[in-house]
Amino acid sequence: MKLASLKHRRDGKLILVSRDLTQAVDASDIAFTLQDALDEWDTLSPLLQARYDALNANKASGRFTFHPVDCDSPLPRAYQWADGSAYVNHVELVRKARGASMPESFWTDPLMYQGMSDKFLGPRDNIELCDESWGCDFEAEVAIITDDVNMATSSSEAGEHIKLLMLVNDISLRNLIPGELSKGFGFFQSKPASAFSPVAVTPDELVSNWQDNKVHLPLSVHLNDELFGAPNAGVDMTFDFADLIAHAAKSRPLGAGTIIGSGTVSNIDRSKGSCCIAERRMLEILDLGAPKTSFLLYGDRVGIEMHDKESRSIFGRIEQEVTPYGIAQQR
């Protein structure tokens, strides 16, 4: 299935979106919000699946044209948003960029932070920035949404709890990070609201591209309409999504609707490009002695998308423009 949330109050209004992302149908009579659906997934998902099948067969009544600009994040807010760093070679590079060494344990124990989840950005919402000097950066990632996960769930059990997948722009304010982390208490001001793809999809929509709890497809990022990078999300992922769920659930249960991010997708093969500016800047330092690529400035545009092997968009496209705070128009 492919599900989305139309902008409506705080938690959106649930719709089903056709596989080709052209048509949609209301699903709010089954579950008004995506969170409602996740709370009763075993009961409601068969009803949603039947309507989704009818939509794709052009038999669903009330079909309408799907416009991503009308969408909020699939979950406009969530009880929990935890972002990992599953691509450890990326962690190594960005730590070098701020002069921090990397403990050996990073290769065996995932990093994870708990981010802002009371309001996400829609896939076409602007990135509002108070100050360009803060070093605004995009971070293109894959994320999963779980059902209820018991505390101490193992990696071998965790994969069955993955109900949906999305794309993420985990926005970072790079020049605020060093000061925050030097206090030894983690991210806060340097991690504003993230944006998610127009639709969330069930793993079966990825067919054979979903294996070993990883998405084996390139994740493309465009900056001002030029390709910035397209590393493969299934390559060099040190910790898969089951590992990340088990890590998050080590000392606590996870409620239905928990979102867990992969961290910035990154390949050791640098010819695939990067999914964030910080990584490219570090590579420029290593190759040229100084960074050449600036962080995001007002007017810059970011696009994040994933296509299947037939070049069809799977999740829809995140399209955002950086604007001064207070200019809230959508793209």
Side-chain angles (χ1 to χ4, degrees), residues 7-86:
K7 289 179 178 288
H8 179 80
R9 299 183 179 177
R10 289 179 183 256
D11 295 301
K13 183 178 180 181
L14 185 64
I15 59 172
L16 290 157
V17 182
S18 61
R19 186 166 286 116
D20 64 4
L21 303 178
T22 63
Q23 299 288 308
V25 65
D26 182 39
S28 62
D29 59 319
I30 299 173
F32 197 86
T33 68
L34 181 54
Q35 183 62 55
D36 291 338
L38 290 161
D39 285 340
E40 304 291 340
W41 187 258
D42 290 345
T43 300
L44 298 180
S45 61
L47 303 177
L48 293 167
Q49 183 70 55
R51 188 168 298 177
Y52 179 71
D53 292 341
L55 173 64
N56 285 296
N58 293 318
K59 295 179 179 179
S61 60
R63 299 188 306 274
F64 57 91
T65 302
F66 178 61
H67 296 296
V69 72
D70 297 330
C71 291
D72 213 323
S73 165
L75 277 175
R77 58 177 174 170
Y79 293 117
Q80 189 155 229
W81 155 231
D83 198 19
S85 280

Side-chain angles (χ1 to χ4, degrees), residues 255-276:
T258 292
I259 304 173
I260 297 179
S262 65
T264 304
V265 176
S266 179
N267 290 170
I268 293 172
D269 179 358
R270 302 305 178 192
S271 70
K272 304 301 182 183
S274 298
C275 278
C276 73

